[in-house]
Amino acid sequence: FFVSPVAPQSVQSCISSPTGSIMSSLVPSIDLSIWTKPTATAEELERIACDWHAAFHSSGLVYLTNHGLGELYHRAAAEWNHFCAMQAEEKEKFSSSVYGASGYNSVGREAVALSEADGEIGSDSVLADPVESLENGYSDAFGDAFPRSENGYVRGDALRDACKSLYDALDKNVVRPCLSIASKALKMNKSDMESAWFAEGSGAYQLRLARYVPRLGVEDDTEILYGEHTDYDGFTFLWRNQTNGLQALIGDTWTSIPVLDNHQDALVINLGDLMQFWTQGVWHSPLHRVIKTRQESSSSDFVSIVFFAGPHADTKLLPLQSPRIPPMSSAVDVITAGEHVQNKIAKTAQ
C-alpha cells in the first residue's frame, strides 16, 4: 500500500504540537493520562482520537507522554547495562537458538535493512547492524535462553523480573488504552479494536532491549547504526535513554526524532506494517533508521527498549469494520498476523 506521508489540510488541522519539540505537527504528542482519567471530557477524548488518526495517516508516528512507566523502564535499562558489561563469551551463553527467539543476539547477528529487500539484494551486500540485543521471543514466560537463575545468570532473576514487570505494565497500561484510542480514531465502537486484537487470545508481544555499538575505525558521522526499515507488527513502543540518532522518512526528508526535553521518558509510537495492512493503507508504516551523529559519536551506551505489539499470531487479518477503511478486495488472500510477522523476521537474520 502507498499512503502519502503528507496529511491533507483537513487532517493536519487537528494535530497538536508536542511541547519542547521542533517537530511541530509532524509528530504530535499525546498525553495518555488525559485519555485514562475518569474525568476526561468528550472534547478531550475527541481531540486525542483526532490527533492519533491524523498522525498515523501521515507520518505514522506519535509521542506518548505521561504513561507512568518511567521507573520500570529505568530499572530494565539498568539491568540490561549490567548484562552488556559482561565479557562476550559470558553473554554468548544466553544466545537465542534462532534470530527472533528468546535470548541474546550478539553484534553482527542481524541486518534489519534486509527486511525491505524483497529479494532484490543479497545478505552479502548489506552490513550487519552494529547492535546487540536481548528479546523474549514473543512469550511472556521469558524462558529458553533468556538470562535468569535457572540457566545460571550471575544476577539471578533480576533482569528477567525487571523485563517481565515492564512487559506486563505495557500490556495493561499502554497497549490496551491505545487500542481504545485507535477504535475511536477509526470511528469504531469503543472496544472494537481490542476485540479484534484479542479475538484469538493474548497479544503477540516482543520486548527487545538493544545497545548500539558504533563500528571501530568508522569516521563517518552519519554511520548507519540500524538500517532503513519499517516495523513488522501493529504498533511499536520505543523508549530511549537519550537521543540516539533515530530518524524517520517524513515526506521525502529524513527527519530526526529526538527525546523530548520536557518528557524524557516519553515513548515514540510508530505504526507497523501489520496495522498498515489491517487498515488497508489508511494508516502509514514509516521507514526509519538509526544513525550515528556528531553529538552521539563519543558515547557507547545508547540503550533502547522496544515493545513490538501485535494481535495473537492466529488472528486473521480480516477487514476492520471502520467507516474510514475501504472494503478489502475479495481477491486478496487472508493471512494471519503470525504469517505476516514471520515473513519479515525471516529476511532479517544474518
Side-chain angles (χ1 to χ4, degrees):
F1 299 101
F2 174 77
V3 178
S4 171
V6 179
Q9 186 62 39
S10 61
V11 173
Q12 288 181 342
S13 63
C14 73
I15 302 179
S16 56
S17 301
T19 305
S21 169
I22 61 171
M23 298 307 296
S24 185
S25 63
L26 294 177
V27 183
S29 182
I30 288 177
D31 187 334
L32 188 61
S33 68
I34 294 176
W35 180 266
T36 57
K37 70 180 181 180
T39 57
T41 66
E43 182 179 359
E44 287 174 325
L45 299 179
E46 184 62 35
R47 170 61 62 174
I48 288 173
C50 183
D51 285 356
W52 182 280
H53 173 66
F56 287 125
H57 183 70
S58 52
S59 69
L61 298 152
V62 299
Y63 286 103
L64 189 73
T65 65
N66 295 322
H67 47 75
L69 305 189
E71 289 185 9
L72 292 176
Y73 272 107
H74 286 277
R75 177 186 168 200
E79 288 298 333
W80 172 231
N81 281 331
H82 281 299
F83 182 91
C84 291
M86 295 195 308
Q87 295 297 315
E89 60 269 22
E90 287 299 311
K91 291 186 284 189
E92 291 283 1
K93 294 177 182 178
F94 305 98
S95 293
S96 59
S97 56
V98 295
Y99 179 76
S102 181
Y104 172 68
N105 301 299
S106 59
V107 175
R109 195 172 184 189
E110 63 179 314
V112 74
L114 288 174
S115 67
E116 300 299 310
D118 290 330
E120 296 175 6
I121 56 176
S123 59
D124 292 343
S125 62
V126 176
L127 283 176
D129 299 310
V131 61
E132 60 181 336
S133 63
L134 179 68
E135 298 175 320
N136 70 306
Y138 285 94
S139 169
D140 61 3
F142 288 80
D144 295 332
F146 201 93
R148 60 196 193 282
S149 295
E150 187 179 346
N151 57 10
Y153 180 47
V154 67
R155 290 182 59 81
D157 287 332
L159 177 56
R160 179 191 180 278
D161 289 349
C163 291
K164 183 67 166 66
S165 295
L166 177 60
Y167 177 102
D168 291 341
L170 279 162
D171 177 33
K172 178 181 178 181
N173 301 326
V174 174
V175 173
R176 292 171 189 266
C178 284
L179 291 177
S180 67
I181 298 174
S183 286
K184 190 171 183 65
L186 290 171
K187 298 188 179 298
M188 302 164 70
N189 293 326
K190 182 178 180 180
S191 62
D192 280 1
M193 190 71 245
E194 190 169 342
S195 295
W197 191 272
F198 297 113
E200 298 294 334
S202 300
Y205 303 144
Q206 179 84 302
L207 184 69
R208 181 178 191 273
L209 291 77
R211 172 177 171 264
Y212 296 98
V213 186
R215 298 179 183 90
L216 295 175
V218 176
E219 301 298 330
D220 184 359
D221 287 330
T222 58
E223 176 196 355
I224 301 294
L225 298 182
Y226 208 55
E228 300 173 13
H229 66 287
T230 56
D231 287 346
Y232 319 152
D233 286 291
F235 297 101
T236 300
F237 301 86
L238 168 67
W239 177 92
R240 297 166 289 169
N241 67 338
Q242 57 188 296
T243 294
N244 67 340
L246 175 65
Q247 296 182 331
L249 191 63
I250 300 178
D252 295 323
T253 303
W254 283 107
T255 304
S256 294
I257 312 295
V259 170
L260 297 180
D261 291 339
N262 59 338
H263 289 288
Q264 301 220 346
D265 286 321
L267 304 180
V268 176
I269 307 178
N270 71 271
L271 199 80
D273 297 340
L274 185 149
M275 190 57 68
Q276 176 172 299
F277 179 88
W278 217 0
T279 62
Q280 299 294 291
V282 171
W283 287 354
H284 167 63
S285 175
L287 196 65
H288 53 286
R289 66 186 184 183
V290 177
I291 67 167
K292 181 179 74 176
T293 65
R294 187 175 299 276
Q295 176 184 353
E296 292 97 26
S297 59
S298 62
S299 177
S300 60
D301 61 349
F302 296 134
V303 169
S304 68
I305 300 178
V306 192
F307 192 67
F308 299 104
H312 189 280
D314 293 336
T315 302
K316 293 181 176 63
L317 300 180
L318 298 167
L320 294 171
Q321 300 303 304
S322 162
R324 292 192 185 274
I325 299 174
M328 181 183 289
S329 168
S330 58
V332 175
D333 291 334
V334 175
I335 65 170
T336 66
E339 290 169 341
H340 176 90
V341 172
Q342 289 303 318
N343 287 342
K344 295 273 287 192
I345 289 177
K347 296 180 180 179
T348 304
Q350 278 284 84

